[in-house]
Amino acid sequence: MINQPPISQEALIAENIARVRARIAESAQRVGRAPQDVTLVAVSKTKPLDYVKIAYNLGIRDFGENRVQEALEKRAAFCPSDLHWHMIGHLQTNKAQKVFGSFSCIHSIDSLHVAEALQRAAEKKSQAAPMDMRQPVLLQVNVSGEASKEGMTPEETPAIARQILAFSHLDVQGLMTVAPLVDDPETVRPVFRSLRQLRDRLRDEVGDVSWDQLSMGMTDDYAVAIEEGATIVRVGRAIFGERVKQ
Ligand SMILES: *Cc1c(COP(=O)(O)O)cnc(C)c1O
């Protein structure tokens, strides 16, 4: 038996990124969209910083984390000026002070309460040292209505959005959703379509901002999400491999 040299972590991640990028391009082209209109956020939660550095060296510039502590540690250790850290997990309001201004985008504004906490944290910071920074955020919507999922209901989103749009330190850029786990990604196509339709409604009825960003699609369903209009996909396992547990 011939011993094959072990495949390096770097070679694995490189292969994975190439595969994901090719699928993003295919899905976009299938519906007449430009592949570069889809931002790939590599979700590095639970994975070592070395993996982030490997992906960065392979051209990835957007990374997603779902826990504040882990995210801030990684960001403190590695933050080249062209790297964007995204917060994609539920926020506890007592972390608002630490979180405000630390991420290129917070995808997980899942209630008015969380938005208020960020606005208040910003006002406090501004009292200490005047600043007019506005934190880019997305509103997280629980489209499928699963009890286990974070997010506002589609029905309450327009009213909550109107209130959040009044917050001077938040820059609302669009919507985010997490689809249910299913075997066949076609099953969740209606979830992505509903988020896009809700976005269109917000543009018509709430306006004020462009509502351009749709953060939807993960390892199992990003191809379908892109066909339904995703502008940001959040992909973990297909890039960095399975997670042990969280
Ligand atoms: C973990 C996570 C992802 C990435 O999931 P994969 O299935 O590994 O691609 C995307 N979005 C959110 C909110 C997550 O928590």
Side-chain angles (χ1 to χ4, degrees), residues 8-173:
S8 73
Q9 195 55 245
E10 177 161 7
L12 274 177
I13 293 174
E15 208 174 278
N16 287 345
I17 289 173
R19 193 181 312 113
V20 170
R21 287 219 184 278
R23 274 192 85 199
I24 289 174
E26 278 167 30
S27 315
Q29 276 152 8
R30 227 174 356 252
V31 291
R33 302 181 57 206
Q36 62 268 26
D37 292 347
V38 180
T39 298
L40 171 59
V41 173
V43 177
S44 49
K45 65 188 185 193
T46 79
K47 299 294 183 182
L49 191 62
D50 281 349
Y51 286 25
V52 171
K53 291 179 178 170
I54 289 171
Y56 178 83
N57 288 330
L58 291 162
I60 298 287
R61 289 295 176 268
D62 294 85
F63 292 89
E65 289 283 335
N66 70 335
R67 298 200 168 178
V68 171
Q69 196 55 36
E70 181 180 351
L72 291 179
E73 280 169 17
K74 284 177 173 163
R75 178 180 177 272
F78 190 59
C79 201
S81 60
D82 60 349
L83 186 156
H84 308 291
W85 285 106
H86 297 248
M87 175 45 61
I88 62 174
H90 175 69
L91 293 180
Q92 285 163 317
T93 51
N94 60 4
K95 303 257 172 75
Q97 197 80 23
K98 283 186 184 172
V99 165
F100 184 88
S102 296
F103 296 95
S104 295
C105 184
I106 299 172
H107 295 225
S108 41
I109 304 299
D110 51 18
S111 68
L112 179 61
H113 193 52
V114 166
E116 274 169 348
L118 286 169
Q119 170 68 16
R120 259 185 278 118
E123 284 168 2
K124 231 185 218 169
K125 283 187 190 203
S126 194
Q127 274 166 11
M131 57 114 193
D132 53 10
M133 195 216 146
R134 299 179 74 211
Q135 167 70 61
V137 298
L138 305 176
L139 308 188
Q140 181 171 354
V141 182
N142 182 1
V143 175
S144 62
E146 285 177 290
S148 61
K149 290 248 179 329
E150 313 282 355
M152 39 193 97
T153 68
E155 294 72 29
E156 70 189 353
T157 300
I160 295 177
R162 280 192 190 90
Q163 298 182 74
I164 295 179
L165 285 168
F167 292 156
S168 57
H169 289 288
L170 299 187
D171 174 16
V172 180
Q173 302 193 332

Side-chain angles (χ1 to χ4, degrees), residues 1 4 21 23 37 52 63 80 92 97 122 159 178-181 195 208 215 223 242:
M1 203 165 97
Q4 300 279 354
R21 287 219 184 278
R23 274 192 85 199
D37 292 347
V52 171
F63 292 89
Q92 285 163 317
Q97 197 80 23
V178 178
L181 267 178
L195 194 73
D208 211 31
S215 170
E242 293 296 323

Side-chain angles (χ1 to χ4, degrees), residues 43 45 66 88 176 178 218-219 234-237 243:
V43 177
K45 65 188 185 193
N66 70 335
I88 62 174
M176 179 273 222
V178 178
M218 307 170 27
T219 288
R234 311 175 307 267
V235 180
R237 289 169 297 132
R243 286 177 296 274

